[in-house]
Amino acid sequence: MRLTLLGTGDAVGTPKIGCKCPACEDARKGGKSQRLRFSILVESEKGKILIDTSPDLRQQFIKQNLSCIDGVIWTHGHYDHYSGFGEFYRVQNKVDVYGVQENIEYINQFVYFLKPRYHYVKLYEPFELIGLQFTLFKVTHPPVEVPTGVIIREGDKKVVITGDTNSEIPEASLELMKNPDLLIADAIVPPNIHIKKHMNSEEAMALAEQLNAKKIALIHLSHLFRPHHIESLFLPLGYDGQVFEF
C-alpha cells in the first residue's frame, strides 16, 4: 500500500489569492508551504483510488503522471473535496465513485454530466477496492449531515484519514480508529485559533495521542501556520507530494 498526499491545503489553498503573509510568500517561492487543495492517492499492486477530488486535480494528475484511476471515494460534499471531478472530462468516462448516499446525491447535482457509476456505501461496513479494505466512519463537520473519514487496511497495516472534522468525533468512530500505523488528520489552523467545524493542530495532536497513532501527518492546512520549514520543526505537517509506503 502506498499513499501520496496530492494536496494538503484548506479550501483556499496556499498561497491564498492576494495574501502576502510569510507562508504565502514562501509558497510563491516554491517552498513546501505551497499547498494544493485536498486529495489523496491510494495505490496497491491492483490499482489506484482517489480519496476526494480536489479543485486542483488536473495539476495533481500532471505532477504525478496519472491518466487513469480505478475509483473515487468522496468524504463529503464541500467544494474543495469534490469539484475537481470535472477534470475527468475527456480523460476518463464513467468513473466508479463510492460514498454515503447523502453525499453522493448532493454532489451528483454538479457532476451528473460525467455519468459516474455510483456505489452507495454504509457507515462502518468494510468494502474492498484494489485489494485493500476501506471503511467509512462518521465525523463531525457542521453543517454537513454525514461527513466521513476513511480507514484503509492491508493485512495488519492500518491508515486512518479523519476527513474534515472537529474534535467531537462519535465514540463508535473513535473505537474503530484506534491504533493506526498512520493518522492523516485535519488540522486547519494553529493552536491559538478555534474554528467550529475543524480541528486545530493542538486538537489533532491530542486525537493522535488518544488513538495511539504510530505516525501522524497533519493536513488540510491553512496559510495561518508559519512557513513549512519552520512549523515542521514542531509539528508533523504533511506536504504536497509526501509519500507513505507500507
Side-chain angles (χ1 to χ4, degrees):
M1 174 169 49
R2 173 186 169 102
L3 282 83
T4 305
L5 305 183
L6 301 181
T8 55
D10 66 345
V12 299
T14 307
K16 179 182 178 182
I17 294 171
C19 182
K20 299 185 183 300
C21 76
C24 288
E25 289 297 288
D26 179 60
R28 289 189 182 93
K29 294 173 184 175
K32 285 183 178 176
S33 301
Q34 186 177 90
R35 302 185 187 281
L36 301 176
R37 272 73 65 84
F38 181 84
S39 283
I40 295 177
L41 175 66
V42 182
E43 299 176 271
S44 73
E45 293 179 353
K46 296 183 178 180
K48 299 177 176 69
I49 295 292
L50 281 178
I51 309 292
D52 286 337
T53 49
S54 163
D56 303 310
L57 197 67
R58 179 179 182 276
Q59 188 175 348
Q60 292 168 348
F61 267 49
I62 289 170
K63 278 188 173 184
Q64 296 294 324
N65 197 29
L66 286 170
S67 60
C68 182
I69 49 92
D70 298 287
V72 167
I73 296 172
W74 279 324
T75 62
H76 66 292
H78 276 166
Y79 160 83
D80 55 317
H81 290 261
Y82 75 79
S83 65
F85 191 81
E87 300 296 344
F88 284 112
Y89 184 62
R90 295 184 183 173
V91 174
Q92 186 174 350
N93 295 322
K94 298 181 180 178
V95 179
D96 287 294
V97 177
Y98 301 80
V100 298
Q101 184 171 350
E102 293 89 339
N103 292 333
I104 284 182
E105 290 182 349
Y106 174 78
I107 296 169
N108 182 59
Q109 298 174 83
F110 306 95
V111 302
Y112 65 90
F113 65 95
L114 289 168
K115 297 180 172 59
R117 292 189 291 239
Y118 291 136
H119 306 267
Y120 295 147
V121 174
K122 292 185 178 180
L123 291 172
Y124 307 113
E125 292 189 8
F127 59 101
E128 187 172 307
L129 298 171
I130 63 168
L132 305 176
Q133 185 190 88
F134 294 83
T135 307
L136 300 187
F137 59 90
K138 193 174 189 298
V139 292
T140 304
H141 185 53
V144 180
E145 288 186 15
V146 192
T148 61
V150 184
I151 294 172
I152 312 168
R153 292 180 180 270
E154 183 180 38
D156 62 351
K157 298 300 180 184
K158 177 180 179 180
V159 175
V160 173
I161 304 166
T162 66
D164 284 13
T165 184
N166 62 26
S167 58
E168 298 174 9
I169 299 172
E171 285 297 327
S173 299
L174 290 171
E175 187 63 30
L176 204 64
M177 296 164 70
K178 284 182 179 177
N179 301 310
D181 294 279
L182 172 64
L183 173 67
I184 300 175
D186 175 11
I188 195 170
V189 289
N192 58 318
I193 304 173
H194 295 275
I195 293 179
K196 182 179 179 181
K197 58 185 180 179
H198 291 275
M199 291 186 290
N200 64 26
S201 58
E202 184 175 41
E203 291 167 329
M205 293 303 293
L207 175 66
E209 184 174 356
Q210 179 183 357
L211 297 177
N212 192 34
K214 293 178 183 176
K215 186 177 289 188
I216 309 133
L218 303 182
I219 49 86
H220 210 276
L221 304 168
S222 73
H223 70 122
L224 299 177
F225 286 94
R226 292 172 291 184
H228 183 95
H229 65 279
I230 298 172
E231 201 73 74
S232 61
L233 297 174
F234 307 97
L235 289 169
L237 301 186
Y239 57 87
D240 290 12
Q242 188 173 10
V243 174
F244 299 94
E245 294 192 74
F246 299 92

